[in-house]
Amino acid sequence: MLSSREVGGNLVNQTFDKQPVAFVTGDSSGFGLLTSVALASEGYRVLASMRDLDNKGRLEAAAKEAGVTDRIEIIQLDVTDFSAAEAVIQDVIHRYGRIDLLVNNAGYAAGGFTEELAVEEWRRQFETNFFGLVAVTKAVLPSMRKRRSGKIVNISSISGRIGFPSMGPYVASKFAVEGFSESLRMEMLPYGVHVVLIEPGSYKTDIWSKGMGAVTIHPNSPYVKEMKEILKYVNQVADTAPAPDEVIQQIVQVAKSPYPKLRYPVGKGVKLGIVLKNVLPWKWWERIVTKRFWKGS
């Protein structure tokens, strides 16, 4: 069984002392689930955390299929509970001696037009996608700094480099993750700790269906036409986007690399989009992005 209750502290330290230790957040589905299984397959001892342990079934099934059940321990963690984040990380370090790799994956996508989104919705988005990531990261830093070793992989997005209409909360939170990661990388490099950003494009995961799928638009909203177009696009992505295998492969490669770069854009059109945004006159770029949603305007 994949349960933290079944692992005794002293036994863990003796048995898994030679295994690299990874801590991954947001493991109930998507990138987090697949990353945990992939890292376990590469020989890592994986602490897979999720907000609600009632959702651990998919991870358990995937781990069993991959034959890595004995290398994954599922832990309950809501990253927005900052004191719990500190306690959980310290418990893991106490039992395993260290955390070699932290993958900050927990997050969700909130969408809608700014005029119609309550400030509290923005706050919830940042509590999970940004402040939760910061809290978990802060908890591992003292141990990594003292050992002068470690990697912190922050799962960002193409939305951390390029803004899109109706996705303001998500985009803003990912832009914040990008800036935080840049600063933290320069703080920690002298201590042998590497901070890395993974910037995926569109892949077949639950994030958009859960986030944008929950968006409702009032019949009298001035944005009805645009929102319908955006939701149509999101549904198309959900139907046609590839499986996220290359994202997981990139995370594993970063974990293995002794000197990883700061940024790794991943996915069809992602690198081109970033280049075009940086080299085209802004008016050209915004026309490209908005044309799809403002037909006839």
Side-chain angles (χ1 to χ4, degrees):
M1 292 294 290
L2 297 164
S3 170
S4 60
R5 292 188 298 272
E6 295 177 11
V7 183
N10 294 331
L11 179 60
V12 166
N13 285 325
Q14 293 171 9
T15 305
F16 299 105
D17 186 55
K18 295 182 180 180
Q19 282 185 296
V21 178
F23 191 97
V24 185
T25 67
D27 282 50
S28 61
S29 64
F31 293 154
L33 184 156
L34 296 172
T35 297
S36 289
V37 173
L39 289 173
S41 298
E42 292 291 332
Y44 278 79
R45 177 63 180 172
V46 179
L47 290 304
S49 71
M50 60 185 66
R51 184 173 57 86
D52 186 354
L53 291 182
D54 288 341
N55 296 326
K56 66 182 180 180
R58 289 171 66 179
L59 175 55
E60 288 180 326
K64 183 177 180 180
E65 182 177 354
V68 294
T69 299
D70 60 336
R71 296 180 191 162
I72 298 179
E73 177 186 346
I74 297 179
I75 294 178
Q76 195 278 329
L77 174 62
D78 180 347
V79 297
T80 65
D81 185 341
F82 305 147
S83 61
E86 173 72 20
V88 167
I89 292 294
Q90 293 311 312
D91 176 66
V92 169
I93 293 173
H94 173 72
R95 293 191 291 116
Y96 290 93
R98 68 196 186 280
I99 292 175
D100 299 287
L101 172 68
L102 168 64
V103 181
N104 281 311
N105 169 73
Y108 71 100
F113 283 80
T114 299
E115 180 182 343
E116 300 181 331
L117 286 168
V119 171
E120 185 55 37
E121 293 184 72
W122 291 78
R123 191 186 307 277
R124 284 196 295 269
Q125 180 78 108
F126 269 76
E127 287 288 316
T128 299
N129 289 14
F130 180 68
F131 290 114
L133 178 149
V134 172
V136 176
T137 300
K138 279 175 59 65
V140 305
L141 288 180
S143 173
M144 288 185 174
R145 173 179 51 77
K146 291 174 184 176
R147 294 181 62 244
R148 303 187 74 86
S149 176
K151 293 190 183 77
I152 298 168
V153 177
N154 293 331
I155 307 302
S156 181
S157 168
I158 181 60
S159 298
R161 304 287 292 278
I162 297 174
F164 298 98
S166 86
M167 299 177 187
Y170 182 69
V171 167
S173 71
K174 291 302 185 181
F175 265 68
V177 167
E178 294 268 336
F180 167 70
S181 300
E182 281 191 20
S183 295
L184 183 63
R185 182 177 172 97
M186 289 184 280
E187 290 177 13
M188 300 310 296
L189 273 178
Y191 297 98
V193 178
H194 292 82
V195 178
V196 176
L197 285 157
I198 305 293
E199 301 168 328
S202 297
Y203 289 92
K204 193 178 290 295
T205 70
D206 295 340
I207 188 168
W208 291 113
S209 60
K210 287 181 179 178
M212 297 298 291
V215 171
T216 58
I217 192 79
H218 193 277
N220 296 325
S221 168
Y223 305 105
V224 168
K225 181 183 71 172
E226 290 82 6
M227 200 69 235
K228 285 182 178 178
E229 287 294 326
I230 289 165
L231 292 177
K232 179 181 177 182
Y233 170 76
V234 170
N235 289 331
Q236 288 175 345
V237 168
D239 292 338
T240 62
D245 297 352
E246 59 185 332
V247 178
I248 309 308
Q249 291 170 5
Q250 184 65 80
I251 295 170
V252 171
Q253 288 175 13
V254 166
K256 291 180 174 181
S257 172
Y259 302 106
K261 299 183 298 183
L262 170 61
R263 287 188 168 92
Y264 291 87
V266 186
K268 183 179 179 181
V270 170
K271 292 180 181 178
L272 177 61
I274 293 170
V275 169
L276 290 177
K277 180 190 175 184
N278 290 332
V279 301
L280 289 177
W282 178 252
K283 286 186 178 180
W284 294 12
W285 173 252
E286 66 183 13
R287 190 177 299 125
I288 291 170
V289 174
T290 59
K291 183 179 180 181
R292 179 180 183 87
F293 307 115
W294 271 258
K295 295 174 182 177
S297 297

